[in-house]
Amino acid sequence: MTNGGKSTLSKSLQQQIPNSCIIAQDSYFKDDSVVPVDSNGFKQYDTLDALHMDTMMTEVNSWRQDPESFLRQRDLNSEHKTLDKDVCVLIVEGFLIFNYRPLNELFDKRYFMEIPYDVCKKRRSSRTYEPPDPPGYFDGHVWPMYLQYRREMENITSDIVFLDGLKPREELLAAVYKDVVYEIERLREKD
Ligand SMILES: Nc1ncnc2c1ncn2[C@@H]1O[C@H](COP(=O)(O)OP(=O)(O)O)[C@@H](O)[C@H]1O
Ligand SMILES: NC(=O)c1ccc[n+]([C@@H]2O[C@H](COP(=O)(O)O)[C@@H](O)[C@H]2O)c1
């Protein structure tokens, strides 16, 4: 969900996990000129149609084909000490990633950061998007779309770990890091 703390957590995780990199869904928004407007005049940004999901998938598949080369191209590999050369980690973060089936089916682990309505609205009001949210956008578009996509997500996927986005950043990071390290070990033993 928007402002749950996804990019904060992803960036910290990426710094701690060797051979990891991030693909962020909000890098794939379509140009404002092609995003439709609803009958209330609200731009329909909080939908999969507002995103170049095909381009995002191309990036994800490029990592899957050759993660080390992908890391080298992003010049991240050299910054990290390698714990295990064989396991590379791709952190995919975004507000609609579990609703896009071709992407959702690729994940080894899924985390969903949730915060209550009032906290979400407050955090959102201190962020400036491009274009900025017009008056009434949160209640008229963002929150109703979140509720709709969340219902869809829960119908598609069951193995999501829900995280309380009200917890301190360090606590969230420690919990997910531990879980991911465990998963890396599991994958290494499987190979
Ligand atoms: N655990 C947390 N506790 C309090 N505030 C947080 C926490 N994580 C992130 N934030 C703050 O919430 C806002 C949104 O965080 P961000 O990581 O950009 O969310 P998202 O990527 O989910 O939209 C930022 O101002 C960030 O500093
Ligand atoms: N990056 C953009 O081009 C753009 C434009 C308008 C709104 N948004 C907002 O971005 C949100 C998703 O990103 P966050 O999960 O980082 O909040 C959506 O709720 C959407 O309304 C992004």
Side-chain angles (χ1 to χ4, degrees), residues 1-4 6-7 26-30 32 43-46 93-96 124 127 129-133 137 141-142:
M1 70 187 291
T2 181
N3 282 278
K6 304 178 296 295
S7 29
D26 60 8
S27 308
Y28 299 93
F29 273 107
K30 291 180 182 171
D32 188 55
K43 283 266 178 181
Q44 300 295 287
Y45 266 107
D46 292 44
E93 73 99 339
F95 72 126
L96 291 177
R124 175 102 183 184
R127 268 260 303 270
Y129 293 89
E130 185 48 51
D133 288 356
Y137 196 62
H141 176 64
V142 175

